[in-house]
Amino acid sequence: MTAVQNQELRMAAYRAPSLFQPHRARQALRDAHEGKISPLIGLYLGLSSVPTARYIAPLGFDAVFIDWEHSSCNVETMTTMVHDISFMSEGRTIPFVRIPGHEHAAVGYALDAGASIIVPQVNTVAEAKHVVSSTKYGAKCGGTRSAPPYRLIQGITDTPIDKTKSIHENQNDQAAIVIQIESLEGLNNLDSILSEVPEIDAVWFGIIDCRVSMGLRWESGVVPTEPEWQEALAKFGNIMRKHNKPCAGFALGPPEKMRAMGEGKSLVFVAVDVLALLSIVADLENAHQVFVPAN
C-alpha cells in the first residue's frame, strides 16, 4: 500500500459530511495523542500561494500549514488555498492556517474557509480566552463567533455530523485550535492558560521566538545547551504532561533527527517548501562545475 493510499484510509474518518466544513481536526489530534493513530504528518508552506497549494494537495500529507502570518497572501488567497487543499485532496488533507495575530476577524476568515487555526504569540490567559471566544459559536460556551449566513448552503452543505446538535455546535467540535507559545512570558503562563482555557486542542512551542525573547541566539543546525534553555524545555514538557495535551511542531531532517524532533508530538511538519526550493542551489553549483569555460 502506498503512503497516499494509507493516508486516504486513515484521514477519511475525519472528513465532515461536506468539504465546505472543517475536518474533525480536534478528534484527529486527540486520537494521535492517545496513540490510536500515528502523528498527523504535515507540510509547511512558508511561501503561501494558490499554485503551490494546488500542486501539493494530492501528494498525501495529513495536514498542510498555510502561513498567513509571515506571507503576503490576503484573505482571498488564504481562502482559495484552504479550499484547494480540502477539495483537491478530496478531503484527505486537513488545512491549518496560522492567522496573523489574534484579531477576531482573522479567526473568522480562516474558520469560514473551512480550516483549523494555529494562533501565534499567545502569552496570557486573557489572550487565550479571546482566541477561543472568537473561534466558538454560542454564548453557552463563551463563543462570540458570528454565524456566516451563506457560508454553508441549507440542506446541501450544512449536514451535521452529530444530528442531535446544530450545525454550529458541530463546527465547535470540528475545527482545532493550536496555540503557539513563543516567549518566556507565554511559557510562564502556560500552566494557567491550559487550566483556564481547556478548549485549546494542542500547543506548539515556538523555539526561535522563545529564544529571541530570552535574549538567546538561534542558529540553524546548532543544538542549544544553555542551562536556562534546558530549564525552559523541561518546564514546557512538564506542563504538557500535567495537562495531557497534544503537542505540535516541526520534525525535520534525516530519520533519526526527525524521530527525535517529533517525539511526543501529535502533529508534525516534516517538510518545508522553502527548504525544498533551497535544494536547487546544489543544481546551480553542479552546473557551474559542468559548464566550465574551455579556456
Side-chain angles (χ1 to χ4, degrees), residues 33-275:
H33 180 64
E34 294 176 354
K36 296 176 182 177
I37 61 173
S38 59
L40 277 66
I41 298 174
L43 165 68
Y44 168 87
L45 295 183
L47 302 175
S48 296
S49 71
V50 172
T52 306
R54 288 177 180 166
Y55 188 83
I56 58 90
L59 295 185
F61 288 95
D62 295 327
V64 170
F65 180 133
I66 298 170
D67 197 342
W68 192 19
E69 180 189 22
H70 292 300
S71 70
S72 60
C73 72
N74 57 23
V75 173
E76 186 174 4
T77 299
M78 178 276 297
T79 300
T80 302
M81 291 178 69
V82 170
H83 290 171
D84 284 355
I85 289 165
S86 288
F87 283 85
M88 293 188 178
S89 72
E90 299 182 86
R92 297 191 301 267
T93 299
I94 301 175
F96 283 82
V97 173
R98 176 158 66 179
I99 62 174
H102 304 163
E103 290 297 324
H104 190 287
V107 172
Y109 284 135
L111 293 172
D112 286 352
S116 287
I117 59 170
I118 298 173
V119 186
Q121 298 286 350
V122 176
N123 295 314
T124 67
V125 171
E127 289 176 351
K129 286 183 175 180
H130 168 75
V131 168
V132 171
S133 172
S134 302
T135 304
K136 302 298 183 182
Y137 293 114
K140 185 167 64 176
C141 62
T144 57
R145 181 180 171 193
S146 174
Y150 304 115
R151 181 63 187 85
L152 297 176
I153 305 171
Q154 187 174 6
I156 298 176
T157 62
D158 69 343
T159 303
I161 295 171
D162 182 350
K163 292 182 172 56
T164 68
K165 298 180 179 180
S166 71
I167 184 60
H168 300 103
E169 290 172 317
N170 270 270
Q171 289 192 74
N172 284 348
D173 294 336
Q174 290 167 221
I177 306 168
V178 180
I179 65 167
Q180 292 188 304
I181 297 298
E182 301 183 273
S183 71
L184 190 57
E185 178 188 11
L187 179 59
N188 289 335
N189 288 328
L190 181 57
D191 189 17
S192 296
I193 289 171
L194 295 181
S195 295
E196 297 188 42
V197 196
E199 298 86 355
I200 290 166
D201 297 296
V203 181
W204 180 313
F205 189 33
I207 62 172
I208 300 177
D209 279 303
C210 193
R211 284 182 62 82
V212 171
S213 82
M214 295 171 66
L216 302 173
R217 291 181 62 182
W218 179 84
E219 297 175 89
S220 179
V222 177
V223 178
T225 59
E226 303 93 343
E228 61 268 43
W229 181 246
Q230 299 306 314
E231 182 181 340
L233 290 176
K235 183 172 185 175
F236 177 77
N238 290 336
I239 293 171
M240 296 304 292
R241 284 187 290 272
K242 173 184 175 181
H243 292 275
N244 194 27
K245 285 284 184 181
C247 293
F250 287 116
L252 305 171
E256 287 306 313
K257 184 178 179 182
M258 184 183 291
R259 187 175 295 110
M261 289 182 68
E263 184 178 0
K265 293 186 174 81
S266 303
L267 173 62
V268 292
F269 290 90
V270 302
V272 177
D273 58 347
V274 179
L275 296 181

